[in-house]
Amino acid sequence: MQIVYWILIFLGTFCFMEFMAWFTHKYIMHGFLWHLHKDHHKKDHDSWFERNDAFFLFYAAVSIVCFYIWGYENVWFCLPIGLGIFAYGATYFLVHDIFIHQRFKLFRNANNWYARGVRRAHKMHHKHLGKKDGECFGMLFVPFKYFKK
């Protein structure tokens, strides 16, 4: 029975991370930490890396702490939480950095209904170069209007 709880906690954490990504993006990245995020909207340097890349460090640290608590304190539910955060981070990297922004030239030919909707939503987000008046701050779950033709 514990495996069922483990799977539910993992999936719940993964889904909760989409909310956290939306919240962090809207209220923190486009808020008081805009100075770290603005180079993602308007590149102002020649580096492959962006200051925006620093945001992954926070969630990576939370995931690592969960692995530590599971491994050294034997708190079983910290493992599926840590793995859920890690899996969302990996998914975010694949979808946002590789698929949408093509930081690596992979998935260029993905052209299904979901892929077009996610790309369209992200493009609408990036049409705003400033921190105000943004739209569509999520990544995996975007409003249905972006999936219409």
Side-chain angles (χ1 to χ4, degrees):
M1 188 64 170
Q2 188 171 356
I3 190 72
V4 172
Y5 294 131
W6 194 95
I7 292 169
L8 289 173
I9 292 170
F10 171 83
L11 292 173
T13 300
F14 186 91
C15 291
F16 182 70
M17 286 303 297
E18 174 69 5
F19 166 76
M20 289 304 299
W22 170 85
F23 181 87
T24 302
H25 191 183
K26 184 168 183 165
Y27 296 108
I28 296 174
M29 293 178 180
H30 281 256
F32 67 94
L33 290 181
W34 172 250
H35 65 280
L36 292 177
H37 183 62
K38 69 181 173 184
D39 70 334
H40 181 65
H41 284 264
K42 187 173 184 189
K43 193 165 182 160
D44 60 359
H45 54 80
D46 293 328
S47 175
W48 185 82
F49 290 101
E50 299 174 348
R51 289 181 298 275
N52 183 66
D53 294 333
F55 286 106
F56 98 92
L57 295 172
F58 173 76
Y59 290 111
V62 173
S63 183
I64 289 167
V65 167
C66 287
F67 293 139
Y68 175 83
I69 294 170
W70 166 73
Y72 291 98
E73 304 298 328
N74 201 27
V75 179
W76 71 270
F77 58 83
C78 286
L79 179 60
I81 292 172
L83 287 172
I85 295 168
F86 174 79
Y88 186 85
T91 302
Y92 188 94
F93 179 73
L94 285 170
V95 172
H96 182 263
D97 291 339
I98 295 177
F99 172 66
I100 294 172
H101 286 290
Q102 289 291 301
R103 287 176 87 174
F104 298 99
K105 305 305 179 198
L106 302 169
F107 309 124
R108 295 181 126 191
N109 298 325
N111 196 25
N112 60 54
W113 173 80
Y114 180 74
R116 286 191 306 271
V118 168
R119 261 198 216 116
R120 191 175 296 124
H122 203 75
K123 187 174 186 173
M124 292 306 293
H125 176 74
H126 276 271
K127 82 175 187 175
H128 303 282
L129 298 179
K131 76 184 222 178
K132 303 277 187 212
D133 302 322
E135 62 183 283
C136 198
F137 293 93
M139 184 196 54
L140 296 177
F141 306 128
V142 298
F144 187 72
K145 69 181 181 179
Y146 297 110
F147 295 104
K148 297 178 184 174
K149 288 192 179 208

